Amino acid sequence: MKYTLHIWRQESPSAKGDFVSYIVDDISPDSSFLEMMDLLNEQLIAKGEDPVTFDSDCREGICGSCSMVIDGRAHGPGHGCTTCEVRMRSFRDGDHIYIEPFRSAAFPLIKDLMVDRSAFDRIIESGGYVTVHSGPKPEPNSLPIPHAVAEHAMDAAECIGCGACVAACPNGAAMLFTSAKISHLGLLPQGEPEHDTRVVGMVHQMEQEGFGACTNHAECQDACPKGISISFISRMNRAFAKATLREPDQRRGTMSNQ
Amino acid sequence: MRLLKFYQSSIGKKIVAAVTGAILFLFLVAHMLGNLKIYSGAEKIDAYSLHLRTFMEGFFGFGGFLWIARVVLLVAVVLHITSVVLLIRQNRQARPIRYRRKRRFATSIAALSMILTGPWILVYIVLHILQFTTGTLQPTPFKETPQGIGAVYFNLWNAFQVWWIAALYVVSMAFICLHLYHGLWSMFQSVGWNNPDRNRNVRLFATISSIALFLGFSSVPVLVWADVVPPPAGQDGTVVVEKVGVESPALVAEGQDSRD
């Protein structure tokens, strides 16, 4: 199979980037998209050119490293898969393929297709944790959790933090990521003590990072390799409103009657 | 302080847009039901218009209740637009470099066109108020009753004799309802009342409401223009204050001519 690739090349964060076209030939339809990229890079290295920089790690769809927008779709064609799971048979022989980095003000570009997604780490640091006691290991079944609740929390916990939701969102919002991280802890009794501070802290950090706002297009849900539901965004909105408006800030202390 | 913290977040602004949107939606439902009284005849709809001013007159005075409603609606409109404009600004900044290949997979035309239907609706509302509430714009004969309020039936009937006014109203209603098709569903999602188990019903509510409002509202200009709604009796016993210096029957005839 033969393809014409139009890849975004940018030397450094401050350099001016543009699309560069490459022709790759003799590609097996059963090779993965990243294997095709590896072959291209080997050719570039052989010619003494700078290979295309892109993120990848596990190459089995669980690490959330790969981050490309292929032909206008985050992670490329198909549902519920990351770029490493895309096979070249998804394209027709002779296709022109546009490869762009995830575009977001909060994901500064490092080089070519590699972006800095540490904004997500800072959102996690702002509340994506639970308090555990450091004594002897507790009896695992001492805290009963209904099966449906555990499954619901697991649906949110599937998030691999790849950032495809941000890349696919017409507004560059990180609502799906943040809401999934808030929900997978907030739905469980272990996450209850920090429920409100978690929502407020993580939402605040999300806004600080420069992500956009949700306009309910549901593009994130469609692009998510783990199929995370926008119902978690709805849940986060309600939790945020409750935490900021209804919950008392301070109810301790003495009071004067005059 | 709490409210400020709430509003500083994009989620807070979305919820404000949703709640004010809900107020405006309820107003639209009431407005449409009021409009449908045109099919009960001139007396009924003119009496309804007067009733809106005399409702709780003993407490609020003549037109007092209506003014309270107007202030609430104005505040809702201002908050709705302000919140959305701030969100749009945030969203523009969130993606400084756009994609070369931009494709959409999940969204709808209604959702993508919110940014176009919104401003259109604002311009339409201003023109609509100038035409029928204040009578500042009078492209067609306009009458007031002795109480100083617009003679609803007469004014509507004359306005919609002109094909482009009727067409403009129908198009504007289509835009409002396209806005509602996304907005009414979005409202539940934004305030956090949407869930996979009720999403189907929320979607159905938004679809049915927007289509019903479109049909209810646009039936009036269409049926008036199509002469299904009978012309107002110029000499129907009620004393009317002429705002235009021409005899009304002549104008009615003229309006019909220009349409043909």
Side-chain angles (χ1 to χ4, degrees):
Chain A
M1 307 270 264
K2 186 178 175 183
Y3 306 100
T4 308
L5 309 175
H6 304 281
I7 304 177
W8 181 264
R9 299 300 308 263
Q10 187 172 337
E11 195 53 45
S12 68
S14 53
K16 196 185 171 302
D18 206 352
F19 285 92
V20 178
S21 303
Y22 301 95
I23 293 170
V24 285
D25 204 352
D26 210 17
I27 300 289
S28 157
D30 296 325
S31 66
S32 82
F33 198 87
L34 294 185
E35 282 163 352
M36 184 276 295
M37 292 295 289
D38 290 337
L39 285 171
L40 169 71
N41 275 347
E42 278 172 20
Q43 287 170 23
L44 290 176
I45 292 165
K47 279 196 280 182
E49 287 180 36
D50 194 21
V52 180
T53 305
F54 61 90
D55 269 314
S56 81
D57 192 12
C58 75
R59 301 214 173 187
E60 55 182 20
I62 56 164
C63 77
S65 287
C66 40
S67 52
M68 297 177 188
V69 173
I70 302 164
D71 277 345
R73 183 163 176 85
H75 283 309
H79 273 98
C81 63
T82 52
T83 302
C84 60
E85 294 172 300
V86 172
R87 295 292 178 268
M88 293 315 291
R89 55 177 171 266
S90 309
F91 301 90
R92 278 171 310 189
D93 194 23
D95 267 359
H96 284 250
I97 306 171
Y98 280 81
I99 309 170
E100 301 174 64
F102 282 4
R103 297 286 192 200
S104 162
F107 289 165
L109 194 137
I110 298 169
K111 192 169 187 282
D112 297 338
L113 302 173
M114 183 188 266
V115 293
D116 179 4
R117 282 167 285 176
S118 41
F120 273 9
D121 298 335
R122 290 187 291 273
I123 294 176
I124 296 288
E125 283 166 23
S126 315
Y129 48 80
V130 292
T131 310
V132 289
H133 90 131
S134 54
K137 195 164 89 60
E139 156 63 30
N141 293 325
S142 61
L143 202 57
I145 301 165
H147 180 71
V149 173
E151 289 291 348
H152 194 195
M154 190 58 213
D155 288 345
E158 273 193 84
C159 171
I160 53 175
C162 64
C165 45
V166 177
C169 177
N171 311 320
M175 295 284 172
L176 195 66
F177 166 80
T178 311
S179 67
K181 295 301 176 193
I182 286 172
S183 297
H184 94 254
L185 298 175
L187 284 166
L188 296 172
Q190 289 92 336
E192 195 53 43
E194 299 92 353
H195 188 278
D196 288 353
T197 50
R198 176 182 306 116
V199 175
V200 175
M202 290 177 77
V203 167
H204 178 72
Q205 188 60 38
M206 175 185 77
E207 307 272 350
Q208 290 295 304
E209 295 292 345
F211 290 109
C214 183
T215 43
N216 304 326
H217 288 287
E219 289 289 344
C220 53
Q221 178 182 266
D222 194 73
C224 178
K226 300 297 155 186
I228 290 173
S229 164
I230 53 168
S231 70
F232 291 114
I233 300 179
S234 189
R235 191 190 166 277
M236 170 176 72
N237 293 344
R238 191 173 63 239
F240 179 81
K242 264 190 205 169
T244 45
L245 295 176
R246 208 182 68 177
E247 295 302 318
D249 295 319
Q250 182 59 274
R251 282 207 174 162
R252 297 181 61 206
T254 55
M255 302 194 293
S256 168
N257 69 340
Q258 51 188 317
Chain B
M1 191 55 219
R2 247 183 233 177
L3 271 176
L4 193 72
K5 198 174 167 189
F6 176 72
Y7 197 72
Q8 268 172 350
S9 154
S10 70
I11 296 178
K13 294 188 197 84
K14 276 169 53 177
I15 294 176
V16 168
V19 171
T20 50
I23 294 170
L24 297 171
F25 165 68
L26 292 176
F27 161 73
L28 280 179
V29 172
H31 193 331
M32 187 204 73
L33 294 175
N35 284 8
L36 294 181
K37 289 190 197 300
I38 195 169
Y39 303 121
S40 317
E43 293 80 24
K44 285 277 162 56
I45 194 165
D46 285 357
Y48 164 70
S49 163
L50 186 62
H51 172 75
L52 287 178
R53 272 88 179 170
T54 54
F55 181 70
M56 290 185 80
E57 193 181 4
F59 191 74
F60 293 123
F62 182 79
F65 167 78
L66 196 63
W67 270 109
I68 292 169
R70 281 168 177 166
V71 169
V72 169
L73 289 172
L74 188 67
V75 170
V77 166
V78 169
L79 282 175
H80 194 77
I81 294 172
T82 312
S83 306
V84 171
V85 167
L86 290 172
L87 288 173
I88 291 171
R89 208 181 57 166
Q90 179 183 346
N91 293 344
R92 289 275 153 85
Q93 288 166 351
R95 180 162 294 138
I97 305 169
R98 303 189 155 258
Y99 290 110
R100 172 73 58 92
R101 270 286 183 92
K102 193 167 74 176
R103 283 160 73 202
R104 300 279 177 249
F105 300 90
T107 188
S108 63
I109 290 165
L112 288 170
S113 61
M114 292 298 269
I115 198 161
L116 300 173
T117 50
W120 178 293
I121 293 166
L122 178 66
V123 171
Y124 161 77
I125 291 172
V126 171
L127 291 176
H128 179 56
I129 290 173
L130 290 178
Q131 187 184 4
F132 284 128
T133 311
T134 63
T136 317
L137 288 178
Q138 294 183 4
T140 51
F142 186 87
K143 267 190 195 175
E144 280 191 355
T145 66
Q147 291 90 355
I149 59 175
V152 182
Y153 194 93
F154 181 89
N155 296 341
L156 277 184
W157 193 89
N158 279 290
F160 295 143
Q161 291 306 305
V162 183
W163 72 270
W164 60 267
I165 296 183
L168 205 65
Y169 270 80
V170 173
V171 169
S172 298
M173 284 311 124
F175 277 24
I176 286 184
C177 296
L178 198 62
H179 200 79
L180 287 177
Y181 178 82
H182 179 66
L184 289 178
W185 173 82
S186 221
M187 185 166 97
F188 284 88
Q189 176 74 8
S190 291
V191 299
W193 285 352
N194 200 7
N195 265 330
D197 58 349
R198 48 175 104 118
N199 184 55
R200 222 180 109 86
N201 293 335
V202 171
R203 186 62 268 171
L204 207 63
F205 162 76
T207 308
I208 291 175
S209 305
S210 52
I211 292 173
L213 278 175
F214 173 73
L215 293 177
F217 272 121
S218 32
S219 72
V220 178
V222 169
L223 294 182
V224 169
W225 181 81
D227 286 339
V228 176
V229 177
Q235 319 81 334
D236 57 351
T238 58
V239 185
V240 288
V241 179
E242 282 289 346
K243 267 228 165 178
V244 280
V246 199
E247 281 295 309
S248 54
L251 266 170
V252 169
E254 202 183 292
Q256 277 172 334
D257 287 342
S258 67
R259 184 164 65 80
D260 298 334

